[in-house]
Amino acid sequence: MDRRRSRRGRWGVWVWLGGLFLGIGHALAGSAPPPDARSMGLAGAFVAVASDPSALYYNPAGLTGPRGVSVLATRAALFSGPVDPLVVEDVLLMRLGGENYGLGVGVGFLRDREAVYRETTLRVGGALRVADRLQVGFQVNGLRLGLDGSNPDVRENPYFSDRTGAVAYTVDLGLLLALSDSWRIGLAGQRLLSSDRRFRQDLGEPDTLPALVRVGVAYNLSPLADALEQAALRDVFRRSLLTADLAFGDGTTAAVGLELGMAENAAVRIGFRSVGGREKGTSALTAGGSIGVQLGDVQLWADYALEISQIALKDNLSSRISLRFLY
């Protein structure tokens, strides 16, 4: 009985490792889940919206924004609920700048429940306002992949006999254009340069991440507010936005999201995302909300989002909790 149970456990580890290697480099992949709860609530349709540290994931041109220092900290539970998740990701992003410039740096740590597989990411970017309504950005990303060499299923695999880690680098470019006070267009080229991410350079063809192009549009609903009769509804529309993204690369991703500003310090969000190509048949519904408070010179936001994605006719649950600070 114990021997059969041991075999089943080992097969489970092999299946788990196989799934990881098929999707290796999650953090720099185009299908990577959003880095924070606000963008997750909008299904990742954030290329034309990002104006805080999350721009390091969507569009480096968004690093220009409000003057001051902003910090974004996120805990993510992937493929399960927030209690005892299958995969955990922690992200810490920071932005420093003003309306005409911005600098950003971010780190991310991802691991499975048993700590067999680990990812560490580093992102460094900058942005400038080159015209009244035009911003451009540049970014370099680094990714380190690692396996627990003491795990018998890793140790006994000849593929990892020499190395249980790999390093990869990518480069991103971004652009943001404000057509008016209500309309914004975002364009981001991600992984325009990508290094080989194989564990062993002597086996197989070079494995680089395919380039990804993201196009997004965001519309502030405030122009529609004047047509509404109820004052409370007019206030909601003035604080709300509708956003949509398309991403082209290793497949095509379409996303749409709606953010409703229920009060000056509260918002709710819904979104939908569909992925075609290599991940054909993948779709996700998202929902989330935010509550903010002002503490002296510091503005603090607490965000939460939940995503239900359908992969191969199976539902998977992911959630995110984020804290945003602006000083």
Side-chain angles (χ1 to χ4, degrees):
M1 176 70 74
D2 292 340
R3 185 174 298 176
R4 289 197 299 268
R5 190 174 299 161
S6 176
R7 287 176 180 171
R8 285 198 299 268
R10 178 156 293 192
W11 273 111
V13 173
W14 279 116
V15 171
W16 167 236
L17 288 174
L20 284 170
F21 301 148
L22 286 174
I24 208 163
H26 146 93
L28 296 183
S31 59
D36 68 302
R38 185 187 179 203
S39 61
M40 180 185 236
L42 294 171
F46 220 60
V47 175
V49 179
S51 59
D52 60 18
S54 65
L56 289 165
Y57 274 74
Y58 291 102
N59 187 347
L63 290 171
T64 58
R67 181 179 299 276
V69 178
S70 53
V71 177
L72 174 60
T74 300
R75 161 58 66 97
L78 307 179
F79 311 123
S80 61
V83 179
D84 194 26
L86 184 62
V87 179
V88 173
E89 184 178 22
D90 295 303
V91 177
L92 181 63
L93 309 174
M94 183 175 70
R95 173 197 165 272
L96 169 67
E99 295 181 357
N100 297 319
Y101 70 96
L103 298 173
V105 61
V107 292
F109 305 95
L110 179 143
R111 65 190 183 280
D112 67 274
R113 182 186 297 160
E114 305 299 329
V116 176
Y117 177 77
R118 301 176 302 278
E119 288 183 11
T120 303
T121 57
L122 174 65
R123 301 168 187 266
V124 179
L128 290 173
R129 185 180 300 276
V130 296
D132 184 44
R133 293 182 176 270
L134 179 63
Q135 304 160 214
V136 297
F138 174 83
Q139 184 173 316
V140 177
N141 312 294
L143 169 66
R144 180 175 179 82
L145 313 172
L147 295 169
D148 180 7
S150 65
N151 184 282
D153 295 290
V154 176
R155 188 174 60 247
E156 297 171 11
N157 189 329
Y159 183 78
F160 305 112
S161 59
D162 296 327
R163 296 181 61 189
T164 57
V167 177
Y169 302 95
T170 63
V171 173
D172 301 345
L173 297 175
L175 178 149
L176 270 176
L177 176 64
L179 299 177
S180 67
D181 292 338
S182 299
W183 287 96
R184 293 199 350 155
I185 293 177
L187 175 64
Q190 298 181 324
R191 307 180 323 223
L192 299 180
L193 295 175
S194 177
S195 64
D196 194 348
R197 54 178 175 161
R198 287 177 297 171
F199 279 77
R200 291 186 58 175
Q201 306 296 314
D202 59 329
L203 294 179
E205 297 294 325
D207 182 18
T208 58
L209 288 163
L212 181 72
V213 176
R214 295 178 182 265
V215 181
V217 59
Y219 176 63
N220 188 304
L221 300 183
S222 57
L224 304 178
D226 294 336
L228 302 174
E229 295 183 1
Q230 296 183 353
L233 195 56
R234 287 198 299 269
D235 291 339
V236 170
F237 268 63
R238 291 191 179 103
R239 294 185 292 260
S240 301
L241 63 87
L242 180 66
T243 180
D245 279 12
L246 283 175
F248 308 93
D250 191 13
T252 303
T253 301
V256 60
L258 174 65
E259 179 177 77
L260 297 175
M262 309 307 294
E264 291 295 337
N265 59 351
V268 296
R269 304 176 187 92
I270 56 173
F272 175 77
R273 181 175 68 253
S274 177
V275 181
R278 187 180 69 175
E279 301 175 60
K280 187 176 181 180
T282 300
S283 60
L285 289 171
T286 65
S290 299
I291 296 178
V293 295
Q294 189 76 33
L295 303 174
D297 295 331
V298 178
Q299 188 175 16
L300 171 65
W301 287 86
D303 307 314
Y304 178 78
L306 184 69
E307 175 179 294
I308 302 175
S309 58
Q310 187 178 68
I311 304 174
L313 301 180
K314 181 180 179 180
D315 291 338
N316 291 278
L317 187 66
S318 297
S319 61
R320 268 170 168 60
I321 299 173
S322 296
L323 292 177
R324 291 181 282 147
F325 302 85
L326 176 61
Y327 176 75

